[in-house]
Amino acid sequence: MQSIMIVLLGIVGMTFGWFVYSRFIATKIYRLDPDFVTPAHEFNDGVDYCPTNKFVLWGHHFTSVAGAAPIVGPAIAVYWGWVPAVLWVTIGTVFFAGVHDFGALWASARHKGKSIGALSEDVIGKRTRALFMIVIFLVLLMVNAVFGVVIANAFIGTPSAVVPAWSAILVALLIGQFLRRGFNLTLLSVLGVIALYASIYIGSVVPMELPDSMFGLTANANWIILLFIYASIASMLPVWVLLQPRDFINGMQLFVGLFLLYGAVLLSLPDISAPAFNTQMVEGAPSLMPLLFVTIACGAVSGFHGIVSSGTSSKQLDKETDARFVGYLGAIGEGSLALITIVAVSGVALAATPELWHQIYEKYGTAGAGTFIQGGAQMIHNGWGLPIGISTTLLATMVVLFAGTTMDSGVRLQRYIIQEWGEIYGIPVFRNGIVATLVAVTCCLLLAFGAGGAGGSGGLIIWPLFGSTNQILAGMTLLVLSVMLIKLGRPARYTLIPMVFVMITSCWAALIKLQEFWLAENWLLVTIDLIVLITSVLVILEAISVIAKFRSDNSVVSKS
């Protein structure tokens, strides 16, 4: 029965966030204008800039920011107990993620669709832009390199997910063509979901695997290369061809998945095996403060979301008033997924007794996406009676598709960053979309295979930096929004307070990691961690200087 309390607490909080808090932010703080001409209309090129139905855009935005992170983060963070995880997901979604994602989308739309890094020049200054974009590029490099590994591992661990994962691409291509020709969106959504779930059944019956060795590479390495070839092509196609319909149909799949998971809670009323607060942690285990707040990023607040909001989503925004629906409701979708993940990895569906749960969560980091799939599949089986094999394939496919859409968008976003560098620094060749894409993918593959050897898992080497770096980026995004609001003469505390909290916890976590890397003599991670920490401090100092100068100038004007 405890699971019902978790679900109710989260739903009540997020309902308040959508109907009350987000409306207040939209009308009183960001002051959305229905008549504002968005970049999608101003620069409509049918490739990257394309006015899009808000429901379709929500699907793209949500599945791009979600990936596997709102599953993996909460599944790991329950190690400290389910209460801290539930509270951070609920509070973080309502007061942090929603404001952050919504704000980055609004700010980018107001600055001709520029990325949050590029527009920081207009808000704060050139030095901030250069520093900001270094952190953004590092985050994208980590995400793309690691998600390639995550998907490859999922294909190898769950071969039944291969057919539905690739079938989703074909379904999306067809939906994109039909939408372009004016077919009914609702009908296409229903048919697309039916086709996707039919492929899930086929996949559970006909699993597919690559040979253990092919072209002198392991199956894992070959999957990584195939995924980057696909992502390169997908990132250069017009958004309406694949990106929008694929992400939209995956968003519909999420609704079905959430319906099954939340419905399973109501039907089976599972108890919770995990402790409210874990008092049986092993000696030397990481402390809840501050690591909880960088372990659960997506599902509470995440810097990567700001890159998506200001990268792809802002270029497709039909009306400025759609920013609330796309940005804030996208954050609520993620929070809902994170919340049910906590239930799946905390309940009796995963471990029948507290003793068994402690065996699974013996150490920090031993759980993850696999734990969610195992617990969630059993929960669906207990609640709905669905065969465990199909339930497992369904959830594994959901994880793979989310990771795949994030990788699609991540490579496209990396291409945007490189093209922006070409504009800023006058490098004509970087402005070319094909060249920029090749540079982006080459960087990812160099990290994957250069640092990771023939297995292609090099991204995992710098992944320990992702949590703190990603959250520092979220703090920097909230800082840019705060300066922008101060310059507009609007209340900035709704972004400043979250910014201060996120910056303190993420820099604290980065310092803890720095000590670990130093003691381990991992000089690569020490160097990158120091670069990120110094960059964040310089951006904060630059912002304080700009705010002080702005207020001083205004004071002089008012006196005169």
Side-chain angles (χ1 to χ4, degrees), residues 126 129-131 133 420-428 431:
K126 285 185 178 181
R129 178 200 66 201
L131 296 167
M133 293 181 80
E420 284 181 341
W421 278 340
E423 291 285 343
I424 293 167
Y425 299 111
I427 309 173
R431 299 176 195 170

Side-chain angles (χ1 to χ4, degrees), residues 418-419 421-436:
I418 292 166
Q419 286 180 302
W421 278 340
E423 291 285 343
I424 293 167
Y425 299 111
I427 309 173
V429 69
F430 278 3
R431 299 176 195 170
N432 182 278
I434 296 175
V435 173

Side-chain angles (χ1 to χ4, degrees), residues 156 209-223 225 454-455:
I156 293 170
E209 298 180 81
L210 289 180
D212 291 338
S213 179
M214 189 169 62
F215 307 120
L217 296 172
T218 63
N220 188 76
N222 280 307
W223 274 128
I225 292 171

Side-chain angles (χ1 to χ4, degrees), residues 43-259:
F43 306 111
N44 188 351
D45 60 7
V47 179
D48 296 318
Y49 293 86
C50 183
T52 303
N53 176 291
K54 69 178 181 180
F55 295 99
V56 175
L57 183 54
W58 178 89
H60 154 70
H61 178 81
F62 168 69
T63 53
S64 293
V65 300
I71 293 171
V72 175
I76 293 173
V78 170
Y79 176 75
W80 290 295
W82 63 263
V83 168
V86 169
L87 289 176
W88 174 228
V89 163
T90 306
I91 295 169
T93 295
V94 174
F95 297 105
F96 290 70
V99 175
H100 170 277
D101 300 9
F102 176 12
L105 181 54
W106 163 73
S108 177
R110 284 280 167 169
H111 290 82
K112 301 185 181 296
K114 291 181 180 179
S115 71
I116 193 69
L119 71 84
S120 65
E121 176 185 357
D122 299 336
V123 179
I124 301 178
K126 285 185 178 181
R127 283 175 295 194
T128 298
R129 178 200 66 201
L131 296 167
F132 216 120
M133 293 181 80
I134 291 171
V135 179
I136 289 174
F137 191 81
L138 281 172
V139 168
L140 288 172
L141 189 63
M142 292 179 196
V143 168
N144 292 335
V146 168
F147 273 40
V149 178
V150 169
I151 300 169
N153 288 342
F155 282 160
I156 293 170
T158 314
S160 57
V162 174
V163 169
W166 292 102
S167 296
I169 297 170
L170 177 60
V171 172
L173 287 168
L174 291 172
I175 289 177
Q177 295 298 324
F178 286 133
L179 278 176
R180 196 72 169 177
R181 287 161 175 76
F183 279 69
N184 182 272
L185 177 61
T186 303
L187 176 62
L188 289 175
S189 302
V190 173
L191 293 175
V193 170
I194 291 172
L196 186 59
Y197 278 87
S199 72
I200 288 174
Y201 173 75
I202 294 170
S204 67
V205 177
V206 189
M208 292 186 65
E209 298 180 81
L210 289 180
D212 291 338
S213 179
M214 189 169 62
F215 307 120
L217 296 172
T218 63
N220 188 76
N222 280 307
W223 274 128
I224 291 171
I225 292 171
L226 285 171
L227 287 164
F228 273 109
I229 291 172
Y230 157 73
S232 300
I233 297 169
S235 70
M236 290 186 286
L237 291 173
V239 290
W240 63 268
V241 172
L242 180 58
L243 186 73
Q244 290 177 350
R246 176 176 175 174
D247 291 357
F248 178 70
I249 202 67
N250 286 347
M252 295 303 100
Q253 183 218 14
L254 169 77
F255 277 125
V256 176
L258 288 179
F259 174 77

